[in-house]
């Protein structure tokens, strides 16, 4: 039933995106249809049989066995749909326009001066990190920890100087007193600054190379952010385990880009499994954060962000533990029903 719905949705998207006619999709409509395509992909992934097929396909490295999997009934039904969705992704790729604006050099100098001015202040405030255990013990709001407030002020200063106005939607879904894992879409180097300027997060998981940059890396270490080495599977697993300890022991919130790296096309990339493994082991709630307008203001290859408007939309939290309980209940119910039929 859902596969039929998926076929209908893909066909509708292909018609609207001019696949048959060959007409280009207007830039103003690409974001809407890109979201439509990604929702279709998520709906298909939610089907248990499709999810099992995709997992088997990913973990099977033998080409002959992969071919056999693709020739199964579920494979012959799903594989063409995903090929068409991938083709739509390519067609809906955003155009990165590297533009210059008046005052860009002035704003760039102002950001450098702000960083030079604020870093000593930040390191002075970092001394108060020794108070964090006490503040946690008395249930002091995490949002107002000295270091977290300092980082938030620093990021707001950068967005103000850059001329970027940020609109936050769905902030009622953010609960700092509950351990959460914030999953944000990543299409710009400015994304962590945009997120931190608003609600902020206690800890961030970032690529290891950022922590090796002088001053910036020191500041990230001072706050307690978690580096992840993407080139080493063993180190990556250790970093995710450390994130799990931060969530369970300190009951902090952690932010990570589930795509693993920045999107070069402005579109959402396939998610990695690491963040969901952390959520599974810690029972932390997932809070998706969709950032819009970031790619247009600061695409890859542009030296400095343009002034403009970004929208950060927080979606309702997802409780993986509740979903797992419901799934187990459904499986047990189905098994008991099957036993009843066999006994009859």
């Amino acid at each position: 039933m859902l596969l039929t719905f998926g076929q209908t949705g893909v066909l509708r998207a292909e018609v609207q995106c001019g696949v048959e006619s060959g007409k280009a999709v207007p830039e103003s409509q690409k974001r809407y249809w890109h979201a439509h395509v990604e929702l279709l992909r998520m709906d298909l992934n939610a089907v248990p049989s499709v999810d099992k097929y995709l997992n088997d396909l990913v973990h099977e490295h033998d080409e002959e066995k992969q071919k056999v999997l693709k020739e199964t009934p579920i494979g012959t039904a799903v594989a063409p749909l995903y090929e068409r969705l991938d083709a739509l992704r390519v067609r809906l790729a955003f155009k990165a326009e590297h533009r210059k604006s008046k005052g860009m050099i002035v704003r760039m100098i102002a950001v450098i001066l702000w960083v030079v001015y604020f870093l000593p202040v930040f390191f002075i405030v970092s001394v108060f990190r020794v108070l964090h255990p006490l503040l946690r013990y008395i249930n002091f709001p995490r949002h107002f920890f000295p270091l977290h407030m300092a980082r938030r002020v620093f990021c707001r200063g950068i967005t103000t100087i850059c001329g970027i106005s940020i609109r936050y939607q769905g902030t009622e879904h953010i609960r700092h007193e509950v351990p959460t894992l914030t999953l944000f879409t990543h299409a710009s180097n400015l994304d962590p600054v945009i997120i931190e300027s608003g609600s902020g997060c206690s800890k961030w998981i970032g690529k290891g190379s950022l922590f090796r940059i002088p001053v910036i890396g020191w500041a990230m270490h001072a706050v307690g952010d978690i580096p992840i080495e993407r080139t080493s599977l063993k180190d990556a697993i250790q970093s995710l385990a450390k994130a799990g300890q931060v969530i369970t022991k300190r009951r902090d919130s952690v932010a990570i880009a589930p795509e693993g790296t920045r999107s070069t096309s402005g579109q959402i990339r396939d998610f990695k499994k690491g963040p969901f493994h952390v959520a599974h082991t810690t029972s932390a709630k997932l809070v998706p954060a969709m950032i819009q307008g970031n790619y247009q203001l600061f695409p890859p290859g542009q030296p400095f962000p343009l002034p403009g408007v970004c929208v950060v939309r927080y979606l309702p939290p997802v409780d993986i533990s509740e979903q797992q309980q419901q799934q187990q209940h459904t499986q047990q119910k189905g098994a008991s029903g099957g036993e009843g039929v066999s006994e009859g």
Side-chain angles (χ1 to χ4, degrees), residues 10-19 23-26 29 32-33:
V10 172
L11 180 61
R12 177 169 173 257
E14 287 176 338
V15 171
Q16 294 293 332
C17 295
V19 173
K23 294 181 180 179
V25 184
Q29 296 181 15
Y32 170 80
W33 285 107

Side-chain angles (χ1 to χ4, degrees), residues 77-94:
V78 170
L81 278 179
Y82 277 91
E83 290 177 1
R84 291 163 66 184
L85 287 171
D86 288 338
L88 283 169
R89 268 184 170 178
V90 174
R91 189 169 183 78
L92 294 171
F94 300 116

Side-chain angles (χ1 to χ4, degrees), residues 55-129:
N55 279 328
D56 293 342
L57 196 62
V58 168
H59 291 97
E60 184 56 68
H61 301 292
D62 191 325
E63 293 184 1
E64 290 298 326
K65 291 183 178 179
Q66 284 184 350
K67 186 177 179 181
V68 172
L69 282 172
K70 291 179 180 180
E71 291 176 352
T72 59
I74 188 67
T76 54
V78 170
L81 278 179
Y82 277 91
E83 290 177 1
R84 291 163 66 184
L85 287 171
D86 288 338
L88 283 169
R89 268 184 170 178
V90 174
R91 189 169 183 78
L92 294 171
F94 300 116
K95 184 184 295 184
E97 297 181 1
H98 296 158
R99 297 172 291 163
K100 294 182 179 180
S101 63
K102 295 180 180 179
M104 179 179 285
I105 301 298
V106 175
R107 287 195 298 274
M108 191 180 298
I109 295 173
V111 166
I112 294 174
L113 292 176
W114 172 249
V115 172
V116 172
Y117 164 78
F118 198 86
L119 277 176
V121 177
F122 184 82
F123 283 112
I124 292 172
V125 175
S126 66
V127 176
F128 293 96
R129 188 181 176 188

Side-chain angles (χ1 to χ4, degrees), residues 26-57:
E27 290 292 322
S28 59
Q29 296 181 15
K30 282 185 176 180
R31 185 167 294 278
Y32 170 80
W33 285 107
H34 170 62
H36 177 78
V37 167
E38 294 306 318
L39 286 173
L40 281 173
R41 184 182 291 269
M42 291 171 64
D43 287 339
L44 286 173
N45 291 349
V47 180
S49 57
V50 176
D51 181 61
K52 183 179 183 304
Y53 162 74
L54 293 175
N55 279 328
D56 293 342
L57 196 62

Side-chain angles (χ1 to χ4, degrees), residues 114 118 121-126 143-157 196 223:
W114 172 249
F118 198 86
V121 177
F122 184 82
F123 283 112
I124 292 172
V125 175
S126 66
H143 199 49
F144 296 106
F145 278 23
L147 266 177
H148 302 165
M149 288 187 64
R151 180 157 63 175
R152 194 156 57 250
V153 171
F154 174 71
C155 291
R156 286 181 181 177
E196 195 65 42
V223 178

